[in-house]
Amino acid sequence: MPVPDVLSAPSTLEEFHDRLAAITEGLPKRLRQCAEFVAARSDRIAVSTVADLAAGAGVPPSALMRFCRIMGFTGYSDMQRLFREAYVPGLPDYATRLKTLKDREGGSPGALLAEFVDAGRTSLERLAKTLDEDALNRAVGLLGRADTVHLIGLRRAFPVASYLAYVFDKVQVPAMLHDGVGLLDHRFALRATDALLAIAFAPYSEETLALAQDARTRGLPVVALTDRPGSPLARLSDAVLLVPEADFGAFRSLSAAITLALTLVVAVGAVRG
């Protein structure tokens, strides 16, 4: 007897895993393969294509699409959206942020400067208190041994990635910036002796996650600079450096991220001599 489609999709990851556990035993062979693979590797849903996930489960993409519908989703992208949104702390759009600041008292340029300086100071103090030194040492070791350090960070993370590329060049460490120009990801430039340093903050760049996934699949070291332990990038990395950025009016600076990036470059340069 065919398995009936579930009418409503899970709205949380907890509901997703509860439903998955409830239906797995009653599924036909290929759909059960999908369920078992997803249960074991749910961290891949946010960053994998339907073809990649189907290949991992050992089933055709059509079987995975059928599995998504049984779970209550309209398709794979609908299921993937649940996992991606679980990592994104919904911030208001920029028009709303500007209106909020405009409506506040003391919104002069000088007052705004004081507020952003204070937010930057808070970010740096948090970084000093919370930095995982073991993770930093591990990251320096991985990057220090690489022939070439590949860098990717798009959207809000792009200034950090481009700054890293600049400083790596100044300390004479071979580095390549993957900037996404022309929608080229240059993944085939990564060699077995290289390492990837990926930077991503919520909302996480799909291109950054895809390159990190590809590097990890090929066995290359991946170092992440990200904003929270549960980010999808952290799950793909061998060393995770967390950056706690304070915000003012929902605008988040890069004070701590740039400071940590500079620390990382100088430490790697020192290791390489």
Side-chain angles (χ1 to χ4, degrees), residues 98-116 248:
L98 287 171
K99 183 179 184 303
T100 299
L101 289 180
K102 183 178 179 181
D103 292 342
R104 295 177 61 157
E105 294 182 3
S108 67
L112 290 175
L113 176 62
E115 294 282 7
F116 282 120
F248 167 62

Side-chain angles (χ1 to χ4, degrees), residues 31-206:
L31 296 181
R32 190 167 62 250
Q33 284 178 237
C34 293
E36 291 173 349
F37 182 78
V38 165
R41 300 299 305 275
S42 59
D43 59 303
R44 292 184 57 178
I45 295 176
V47 298
S48 298
T49 64
V50 64
D52 290 338
L53 208 66
V59 300
S62 59
L64 184 62
M65 296 298 291
R66 172 67 171 152
F67 168 77
C68 294
R69 290 192 293 272
I70 289 170
M71 286 293 292
F73 300 100
T74 58
Y76 179 70
S77 60
D78 191 26
M79 182 174 76
Q80 188 178 54
R81 188 177 302 113
L82 172 67
F83 282 80
R84 288 184 174 172
E85 290 180 351
Y87 301 115
V88 180
L91 289 170
D93 60 31
Y94 279 93
T96 302
R97 300 183 211 184
L98 287 171
K99 183 179 184 303
T100 299
L101 289 180
K102 183 178 179 181
D103 292 342
R104 295 177 61 157
E105 294 182 3
S108 67
L112 290 175
L113 176 62
E115 294 282 7
F116 282 120
V117 167
D118 187 60
R121 183 186 301 112
T122 300
S123 297
L124 293 171
E125 290 173 350
R126 288 180 184 173
L127 177 64
K129 292 177 181 177
T130 63
L131 179 66
D132 184 341
E133 291 194 20
D134 290 337
L136 178 60
N137 291 333
R138 188 161 58 252
V140 170
L142 292 171
L143 300 177
R145 292 190 294 270
D147 283 350
T148 300
V149 177
H150 293 262
L151 306 164
I152 185 167
L154 303 175
R155 301 177 187 171
R156 191 169 71 95
F158 183 73
V160 183
S162 57
Y163 179 69
L164 280 163
Y166 171 78
V167 185
F168 269 128
D169 182 72
K170 292 304 178 183
V171 298
Q172 301 179 12
V173 172
M176 176 179 176
L177 177 63
H178 295 246
D179 54 17
V181 171
L183 297 181
L184 301 174
D185 60 21
H186 300 294
R187 68 181 61 194
F188 299 111
L190 277 73
R191 299 169 298 176
T193 54
D194 296 343
L196 176 68
L197 173 53
I199 307 100
F201 312 118
Y204 306 101
S205 161
E206 181 178 344

